[in-house]
Every structure is written in C-alpha cells, then in structure tokens.
Amino acid sequence: MAAGDDVPEGTPAERLAKLVLALRSQGVTDPGVLGAIEKTPRDLFTPELFRERSWEDQALPIACGQTISQPFIVGLMTQALTLEPRSRVLEIGTGSGYQTAILSRLARLVYTVERYRTLMKEAEARFAVLGLTNIITRFGDGGEGWAEQAPFDRIMVTAAADEEPKRLLAQLKPSGVLVAPVGRGPVQTLIRYAGDGKGGFVQESLGEVRFVPLLEGTAKEL
Ligand code: SAH
C-alpha cells in the first residue's frame, strides 16, 4: 500500500456535505435532522487517532472502550424520535456527546446520563466549546432513567438493553416516543415505542443495529 492511501479527499466541509448527501439517500430526509448534523463538527467528538475519519459513515472507538455512533444511525434515531422544539428529552449513554449535541439543536432541553465519569467530563467540555447550554448531564446508571425530571416527551437510548426497557418507558409521557436498540448479543433491533396516550405503546422495528451494551451501575474505573 502506498503511503497516503488512507488520507481522505476533500476539505472537512466537502466531506461533511458528501456525508449528508449519503445519509439523505439512505432515508434520513428530515431537513431539521440533516441541518443539525451539518451544524455539528463530528471531528470535535472523535479521538485524535481517528480524527481523519470523522466524516466517514462509521462508528469509531472513543475512550473507555466505547464508541461514537455511526452518523447514519444517529440520523435514523433522531428522525425516528420526531422531536418538537418544546420537547424535553432524556438520553441514556452520553458517550462522546455527539448524539446529545444533535438532539440539543432540535429540542428544548436534553438530559443525558453516562456511567463513565471520564466520558461525561469530556462531553461537557465539548458542549461548552459549542455553546450548547440546553444540555443537563448526569453521571449515573441510565438504566434507572432520571426520576426527578420525569416524565419526558422523548427518550433515546444509545446502548443496547437486553429486553424492553420498562423502567424507561415508565418515565415517558403517555403520547411520548422512545427509541432504543433492544436485544442480547452483538446485533440488536432498533425499536421505536410510541405511546398510544392510554398507557400502551405501538412498537415499530427500524432494522438491525450494533450498539455496546447497556450495563448496570456506574463504572468503577474512570
Ligand atoms: N451516543 C453516543 C454513543 C455512545 S456508546 C455517541 O454517539 O458518542 C454508548 C454509551 O452508553 C457508552 O458511553 C456507555 O458507557 C454508555 N452506557 C452504557 N450503559 C449505561 C448505563 N447504564 N447508564 C449510562 N450510560 C451507559
């Protein structure tokens, strides 16, 4: 392989525009969602080692053995959440904070929970750099939700639960929407739960995804 084979072509702006076009052709068509992706510099959320690959449609490793989600999945999940400008959103699994930043541009308030203190602190610093002031962070076990702030209009889970996330569904408003990867093992089903206003949910499968698992408790390491 010749040196430089891996160096991507184009300026970051050109590569971002290309990524947005690719997402649109794959079905992420909501102009608000595409606009939020366009406005959010993903290279701020990726580690130095992978920075060059920030505009590829791929999940990438971040600290603590976790991953920053693939842009297409971020777009798909955000679109499925059908956010409104007044929405109060709960996100479980802050990770790099990239998905959080996208949500914050489309919702009134975003509450986000992460079980690694290091990731939480790094994400907070990025929100400050971008001037995103409508994000409230918490270090804790997101599996428990955020009872003090419930109920939420929307909930997004960015780590895979073994089964239906009942405790989180209980913190959703009757006509709210929750999107989560559900299933054991490396491949899960992305599920959209839409409240029917009477305490039940209409479920829709949005396809197969690969997320890191939703683990219990907070991480003992940093
Ligand atoms: N949306 C993130 C994805 C991060 S990967 C991004 O694009 O960067 C999923 C994250 O969920 C990891 O950071 C992991 O530590 C976190 N996580 C897993 N189980 C959790 C739990 N019970 N509570 C809070 N965060 C959790």
Side-chain angles (χ1 to χ4, degrees):
M1 231 195 330
D5 266 5
D6 283 343
V7 178
E9 283 175 26
T11 64
E14 284 165 357
R15 288 154 62 195
L16 171 59
K18 209 171 145 194
L19 173 66
V20 168
L21 274 178
L23 300 191
R24 186 182 287 142
S25 72
Q26 289 176 81
V28 180
T29 52
D30 184 305
V33 173
L34 291 171
I37 290 173
E38 250 165 353
K39 270 197 283 183
T40 308
R42 190 166 183 253
D43 52 351
L44 182 68
F45 296 83
T46 50
E48 187 77 53
L49 190 60
F50 298 105
R51 195 138 299 154
E52 279 297 321
R53 296 172 62 185
S54 301
W55 305 116
E56 292 174 19
D57 192 15
Q58 275 186 9
L60 295 169
I62 57 172
C64 306
Q66 305 304 311
T67 50
I68 174 171
S69 303
Q70 181 191 349
F72 169 65
I73 297 297
V74 171
L76 183 73
M77 290 177 78
T78 309
Q79 180 167 279
L81 213 53
T82 50
L83 291 162
E84 288 166 15
R86 293 194 52 78
S87 298
R88 283 173 71 251
V89 185
L90 173 65
E91 181 197 33
I92 307 303
T94 316
S96 68
Y98 178 65
Q99 171 75 76
T100 324
I102 304 278
L103 292 172
S104 83
R105 297 192 190 276
L106 298 164
R108 182 159 61 95
L109 277 173
V110 183
Y111 297 85
T112 185
V113 187
E114 172 55 54
R115 67 187 291 277
Y116 279 98
R117 208 182 281 280
T118 306
L119 293 177
M120 181 96 284
K121 294 284 162 213
E122 288 179 3
E124 283 170 351
R126 293 176 181 128
F127 304 149
V129 168
L130 294 177
L132 303 173
T133 53
N134 61 338
I135 299 171
I136 300 135
T137 58
R138 181 183 205 170
F139 165 66
D141 181 357
E144 295 171 8
W146 195 324
E148 300 86 341
Q149 296 296 342
F152 297 94
D153 299 296
R154 303 287 187 265
I155 300 179
M156 181 181 286
V157 189
T158 70
D162 283 353
E163 47 197 51
E164 184 170 275
K166 291 199 180 61
R167 279 191 293 179
L168 297 176
L169 284 167
Q171 294 187 12
L172 194 61
K173 284 193 185 166
S175 298
V177 177
L178 179 151
V179 175
V182 180
R184 284 171 215 271
V187 180
Q188 309 95 28
T189 306
L190 187 61
I191 301 183
R192 178 182 198 267
Y193 298 87
D196 62 8
K198 296 175 281 184
F201 298 96
V202 178
Q203 280 187 46
E204 185 189 345
S205 166
L206 304 175
E208 288 191 339
V209 286
R210 288 172 176 269
F211 274 88
V212 296
L214 184 73
L215 299 175
E216 265 183 45
T218 51
K220 297 288 168 277
E221 58 270 57
L222 290 172

